[in-house]
Amino acid sequence: MEMETELVLSSSLHYMLPRKRAVGGEAVVVEVGEDNCKAGSLKKPRILTATTGTAEATGNVNTNSSIGDNNSNHSRGDAKPPIMALGEGNPPDIDEDLHSRQLAVYGRETMRRLFASNVLISGMQGLGAEIAKNIILAGVKSVTLHDEGSVELWDLSSNFIFTEDDVGKNRALASVQKLQELNNSVVISTLITELTKEQLSDFQAVVFTNTSLEKAIEFDDYCHNHQPPISFIKSEVRGLFGSVFCDFGPEFIVFDVDGEDPHTGIIASISNDNPALVACVDDERLEFQDGDLVVFSEVQGMTELNDGKPRKVKNARPYSFSLDEDTTNFGAYEKGGIVTQVKQPKVLKFKPLKEALKDPGDFLLSDFSKFDRSPFLHLAFQALDKFIMELERFPVAGSEEDAQKLISFTCNINDSLTVGKLEEIDQKLLHHFAFGARAVLNPMAAMFGGVVGQEVVKACSGKFYPLFQFFYFDSVESLPTEPQDPSDLKPINSRYDAQISVFGAKLQKKLEDAKVFIVGSGALGCEFLKNAALMGVSCSNQGQLTITDDDVIEKSNLSRQFLFRDWNIGQAKSMVAASAAASINPHLHIEALQNRASPETENVFDDTFWENLSVVINALDNVNARLYIDQRCLYFQKPLLESGTLGAKCNTQMVIPHLTENYGASRDPPEKQAPMCTVHSFPHNIDHCLTWARSEFEGLLEKTPAEVNAYLVNPIEYTSAMKNAGDAQARDNLERVIECLDKERCETFQDCVTWARLKFEDYFANRVKQLTFTFPEDAATSNGAPFWSAPKRFPRSLQFSIDDPSHLHFVMAASILRAETFGIPIPDWVKSLLKLADAVSKVIVPDFLPMKDAKIVTDEKATSLSTASVDDAAVINELIMKLEKCQKQLPPGFRMNPIQFEKDDDTNYHMDVISSLANMRARNYGIPEVDKLKAKFIAGRIIPAIATSTAMATGLVCLELYKVLHGGHKVEDYKNTFANLALPLFSMAEPIPPKVIKHQDMSWTVWDRWILGDNPTLRELIQWLRDKGLNAYSISYGSCLLYNSLFPRHKERMDRKLVDLAKEIGKVELPPYRRHFDVVVACEDDEDNDVDIPQISIYFRIDLKSEIRDQSILYKPRNLFLGRQHAGNILGKMLSQYESSSGR
């Protein structure tokens, strides 16, 4: 029976609120509306529910869904069957606004295969829900959820979909509606009766998260032998242990093993030899490896290599390689040439589960300190399956009898082995495995949901190298350090019972009482909030979770920031995310702020705020913000859990007070920037063209109009500033403003068309003609070498043609944006090629005559194209006079409309202009052009992002959160991780300890801050240091020198309070929320050796003793204290400021 249900959704901050649900046996069919839901409007996601459990029901619930439309391919008569099952059919067009970050990872072809793929997920506990979330966000064609069981309170520890109102309902039925909200383009259906192997034929990939080995072997055997094969994945999470098994069939094609762009090199020379030696320019290191296949293009002289035939690389080196080819009789190399890697498909032959259990081959490792763990867990998971089959239940947490039974099963399996038998069974580890076997922990489900979700994408698309074939993982280090009392593991009839069965009620209480600061509520932040809510973090009256983010929700966020819906677009991220998290767990005590955590908001995030925190979790997307939070955590002694993603890659870093180095202790090398002259005159790749295009866009449409307005708002102040600057930059600014208001001023749309057409001529014809006039093709450098040698490419000017659509498209987009800056209405006819061509034909293009004395910058070290002149001041005065004349010609109140680049709106013509600029320039230089999407990735500096790596990173971080909130773990218990789900690669290692500085019997690290209370005087501070064998010779506050031993008058300050000196000399008012200030002290030991000491905090406003006691830190008045980073000797820097600040 089917019925139609209408859902009314508010446009406020609600998410996953209780909804009207279908009663068992009924199906819900709701149609999707395209418009964003507003308050009081109707939102109808499409939901399919099949309750009969038959293949026919699944395939026929919606005759248009095409869930089973690949059935006709199962038997192809005499045709050779395909060796892998990828999505087929005609998928819908890709919504590039929604999926832009995912497209940057996968590309269009992979996305099309995903959109045509049907996936089954069996088992809708926490792991199944996480996998479903990730693949629905990715955008497959359909997902069928299978589960015969009912929701239990136990499930609420790990499943973000269920609420307490769902207890007793079928898991699949209770899941479908909320999962549908994640992506209305995915058809979601359910199966709630026993699954048969014949039903699997409707899918390209099937995932089992809670099935017996016996059933799994039966299903896998069917999938393995099916034509075409069906990709089979089995995964389990058992407490702090997890496993994945993949079988993608007897022959599975991987089209792209790593997802990286093909490597290229610019050729400098090729020898006539056997083998030939190919040398490339030293612009960038080559990334080729021995055995790679490469093709050549644009080679002059040795043209035989331009035949497109792949050739093998040998003896690969940073800037050269040998070619497995005899070029002795080829033409002599003259110049030019590009060498490009050819990525070859790879065929993998998977073993079925039954065979792989006996002969697993190499396990995928995650932690080399646990090298022997995977073979052990391979037995343990089989033993657990045997335990469940024989006793029809899981082992009971804390039951020694059940643990011994599991140990016995494991030993029996091990004894039966003839190959791969283990010499020793770790019984302690098996105890942990047994006690937590029933629990699905949220962090483990999140991590494995990311791993398995990515494997589903691989199975459906052939993109990235599959997991081959077993992966085992554990995080027993997350357990409390002290022995656990079995009574502490017993359920207490709460939503956290599964977590309590592993960690105990004592740690659960610590989680609930925690005060947590999550910085950022984008993709990482949404996952962290979900995890925190499920774990019970900050869910008691003593707990508090604060999240802050100053950004608002955009459409492109919805493909991975899963707490947001399309009706939330434009709303504050932190507010929506907080409301969503509170809907997952109503006990969550959460405060959402919209402040950027920065020096400017330290009145919001003040000392009291930081001192009360238990832990800080970063969910940021830029290094500068991370460094700031890192410094605050250093200062206030707070653990910082750091993570980040880049496409399929993710990393986590634990920053633990006094145990590890801080985030800022090591930096990535800066990204290599192309020289300015390369970008502006000598580009040799599309990145150079796009960098130039964005620079021109911002200069023409944002900076110059803004500069015009700056002048028009206050002409006197503006011209005075230009005169005072008196440099080449000021001259350029004035010239651009005058040009905009005089020669290039537009009053009608035809003027805008004229401007765009003349810009085309200037950029792509005249400038190239000038460049090649100044440097002809046969030009030589001062030492006689050819000027146009690699990597330089000799350009050719373009001839504008109204018959070339790309030429007209540039004029159309550029004229529309130019009209916007002048506030000119845009006529409809501009989008008609014929009418636009007619308007362009009216433009008179003056002839171009190259200048003989033109100056073109060729110095790669130059940072500006402006050339200074001794006459700059005189020229500026003349320009100001011209500008004043221009102003008089303007209508009263005239202002321009600067256009700020926005990459994520495909209707605003911003990327049309930038991609047109870049591609026309590429055409000048013979560089391959790119489509608008690729241009958006590069020019918009889009960071590739997918839900799977985000989920994995946050799961790993939350496994560390258990350790942080418990306390007492050693540095070797913590794990930093780098993972690449594309390969797949997992690399875990303990964090690096901080550097230790020693002096006499003391030692300190970057974490140490020395604290002095009781509002001390300058004399007391100096004496306090002297007692430590340290002689202070310079004390500074900010940029002000409070004391230096070289200045006799400073001795008059000895008995003054340091706070008074800071206020008087520093001329600052310490705000009411600030109870201390920090001084940097330069010291020497008794042998006159400089000693770097920590920063010293001077408390002047409160009883430090009571504050420190509140923080549970030992306090000794005027003694060493835990704290911050080293103080350096800054005497030289301070001396120059001394006279003005102290009145010496």
Side-chain angles (χ1 to χ4, degrees), residues 843-856:
V843 178
I844 299 174
V845 180
D847 292 334
F848 174 74
L849 292 175
M851 296 183 292
K852 293 184 178 180
D853 57 350
K855 294 181 179 179
I856 297 174

Side-chain angles (χ1 to χ4, degrees), residues 120-131 206-213 216 232-238 241-247 353 381 440 444-456 467 469-473:
L120 169 74
I121 299 174
S122 176
M124 286 306 298
Q125 293 173 311
L127 176 57
E130 291 287 337
I131 298 168
V206 295
V207 181
F208 292 88
T209 67
N210 189 28
T211 191
S212 68
L213 266 179
F232 175 92
I233 302 172
K234 182 181 189 298
S235 183
E236 295 177 86
V237 166
R238 305 298 179 197
F241 300 81
S243 71
V244 182
F245 168 78
C246 294
D247 172 14
L353 178 59
F381 273 91
V440 178
M444 290 289 290
M447 177 206 161
F448 274 84
V451 174
V452 176
Q454 194 64 60
E455 294 307 307
V456 172
L467 194 159
Q469 291 187 258
F470 281 103
F471 173 59
Y472 292 101
F473 173 85

